[in-house]
Amino acid sequence: MSLSLRLIPPPVQLADVPQPRFDHVLRLSDDTGMLEHARNAIARREHGYCVDDVARGLLVVAREPKPAPDVLRAAERYLAFLTHAQGADGAFHNRMSYDRRWQDEPTLGDCWGRALWGLGTAAARSTSGWIRREALIAFRLGAARRSTWPRAMAFAGLGAAEVLRADPHDPVAAELLGDAATVIGLPGSDPAWVWPDRELTYSNPALAEVLIAAGDLLGDEALLGDGLRMLSWLCDQQEQHGHLSCVPVGGWRPGAVRHRYDQQPIEAAATADACATAAAVTGDERWDAPLFQSIAWFLGDNDTGSVMYDGETCGCYDGLTADGPNLNQGAESTLALVSTLQHARTLAIRSATRPSGGQA
């Protein structure tokens, strides 16, 4: 691995963290949507588009308090893409070729859940009134369906939580969020393996985050406690020598050797999301530590000391291997970076306004 990638050696400080930038997000975007893959920083058109990433794009723009005009225009295209991907029954296609042909049939898999997450976030937070209205229409259509896959339900539940925060009396969102929590299940009694499933695969923090959100928004203190316990255990499992070491591709299972690579940026982003939600719900500053570990992971405080952020392109490398970063900068990874830097910005503001003036 080139030493030039170690731009900010650990330990990372909050002052080292860059502001979220959309340069590479826009580089991957066109008048149709967002291209999924890149060779280094060049979009690979031959791989086309996917709903998963376009939904993530809509989500991160909706989280921006003051999106620039070109960023907001990109969100309009992302919303149009998602509404085109949605069938009359609320299910979603996922993959479109560069010549604008769908490559699959609508399903209720992860793409359905991620689409509802993006749509719900846009419906609740977008600075554009017409985007909020149109996103809510599409969200309600999709929210009438249910998936048998826990992670798809988790993603959809996070979209429902966004809608409920904006309108606590929305019955469609409340029912979907409650159903998502039920599908995920509750933590076990074995302190060595608290997780409801017998393996940790991908987007694990989202499962805990849904229980936290459901417990908070639906007034279920026991469920809130279960979600916080799951997330606390997961953060402990992912901590390695004081830094975040994400569950990699291949997952972890009780009693098996825990491989550390290939770690994905989306896992660090999911940890940041869940810890930010836990901090917001509980007001407990102790969640700032694992949140900051997630942020610092991108800036070199990880298992190989590799900076995952390309300061020239504002993109993110696709994975952390034993030899350093996979230098491709695809949509999923770059959006994970932007999402996490949004949390860093909020954390910096919160830290600066504390009476002690302390820093995470």
Side-chain angles (χ1 to χ4, degrees):
M1 182 190 64
S2 169
L3 291 177
S4 65
L5 296 176
R6 293 193 174 100
L7 300 178
I8 304 174
V12 176
Q13 302 296 317
L14 194 54
D16 299 326
V17 181
Q19 290 294 307
R21 294 275 300 270
F22 284 82
D23 303 54
H24 194 52
V25 172
L26 296 176
R27 190 177 293 116
L28 295 173
S29 301
D30 60 15
D31 61 354
T32 298
M34 183 182 301
L35 292 158
E36 181 177 9
H37 292 297
R39 188 191 71 235
N40 295 320
I42 298 295
R44 300 189 66 180
R45 296 177 178 179
E46 66 271 24
H47 292 287
Y49 316 85
C50 76
V51 159
D52 286 322
D53 290 335
V54 175
R56 293 182 184 107
L58 182 62
L59 184 151
V60 297
V61 176
R63 287 178 173 178
E64 278 295 291
K66 295 180 180 179
D70 55 349
V71 173
L72 190 57
R73 284 194 295 272
E76 294 172 356
R77 294 192 293 272
Y78 303 156
L79 176 58
F81 186 95
L82 294 180
T83 58
H84 181 52
Q86 188 174 34
D89 64 351
F92 282 83
H93 294 279
N94 190 27
R95 298 192 177 279
M96 175 186 278
S97 61
Y98 190 66
D99 63 359
R100 299 186 179 183
R101 297 177 185 271
W102 291 114
Q103 303 299 297
D104 55 14
E105 295 299 320
T107 72
L108 298 174
D110 283 1
C111 64
W112 166 83
R114 289 198 181 278
L116 291 192
W117 189 3
L119 290 167
T121 305
R125 297 205 209 181
S126 177
T127 59
S128 166
W130 81 264
I131 287 181
R132 291 196 303 273
R133 292 189 296 273
E134 293 296 331
L136 185 59
I137 291 171
F139 171 84
R140 290 190 184 285
L141 177 60
R145 304 297 303 276
R146 296 293 183 270
S147 176
T148 59
W149 289 285
R151 280 165 178 76
M153 285 295 289
F155 303 145
L158 292 174
E162 292 283 2
V163 173
L164 269 182
R165 291 186 188 105
D167 180 3
H169 303 293
D170 189 303
V172 174
E175 185 175 358
L176 177 56
L177 179 57
D179 289 346
T182 298
V183 168
I184 290 166
L186 301 177
S189 58
D190 181 1
W193 193 266
V194 168
W195 212 246
D197 299 326
R198 296 303 292 170
E199 61 179 338
L200 293 168
T201 55
Y202 67 97
S203 295
N204 304 292
L207 306 186
E209 186 181 358
V210 165
L211 297 193
I212 293 169
D216 175 48
L217 294 167
L218 303 180
D220 189 330
E221 289 292 330
L223 189 60
L224 172 60
D226 287 334
L228 292 170
R229 183 158 69 95
M230 282 174 55
L231 182 59
S232 178
W233 178 84
L234 180 62
C235 289
D236 287 343
Q237 299 301 305
Q238 292 191 134
E239 184 171 344
Q240 177 85 343
H241 304 306
H243 63 256
L244 176 67
S245 181
C246 305
V247 176
V249 173
W252 290 341
R253 296 158 189 82
V257 174
R258 291 192 175 182
H259 300 287
R260 294 288 167 182
Y261 307 100
D262 182 9
Q263 294 178 38
Q264 302 292 296
I266 194 172
E267 300 302 326
T271 303
D273 277 346
C275 291
T277 294
V281 166
T282 65
D284 190 340
E285 294 178 5
R286 288 178 295 181
W287 290 106
D288 288 352
L291 170 57
F292 187 72
Q293 285 183 350
S294 304
I295 297 163
W297 183 92
F298 288 90
L299 300 180
D301 199 1
N302 51 48
D303 284 334
T304 67
S306 300
V307 173
M308 302 297 290
Y309 171 67
D310 185 332
E312 182 177 11
T313 67
C314 300
C316 180
Y317 302 123
D318 276 354
L320 181 64
T321 74
D323 298 320
N326 171 346
L327 297 181
N328 294 329
Q329 300 174 34
E332 176 186 286
S333 300
T334 296
L335 291 166
L337 168 72
V338 174
S339 170
T340 305
L341 294 183
Q342 288 173 326
H343 290 307
R345 178 177 58 199
T346 301
L347 179 59
I349 294 170
R350 191 163 71 242
S351 297
T353 57
R354 285 175 185 155
S356 64
Q359 179 170 297

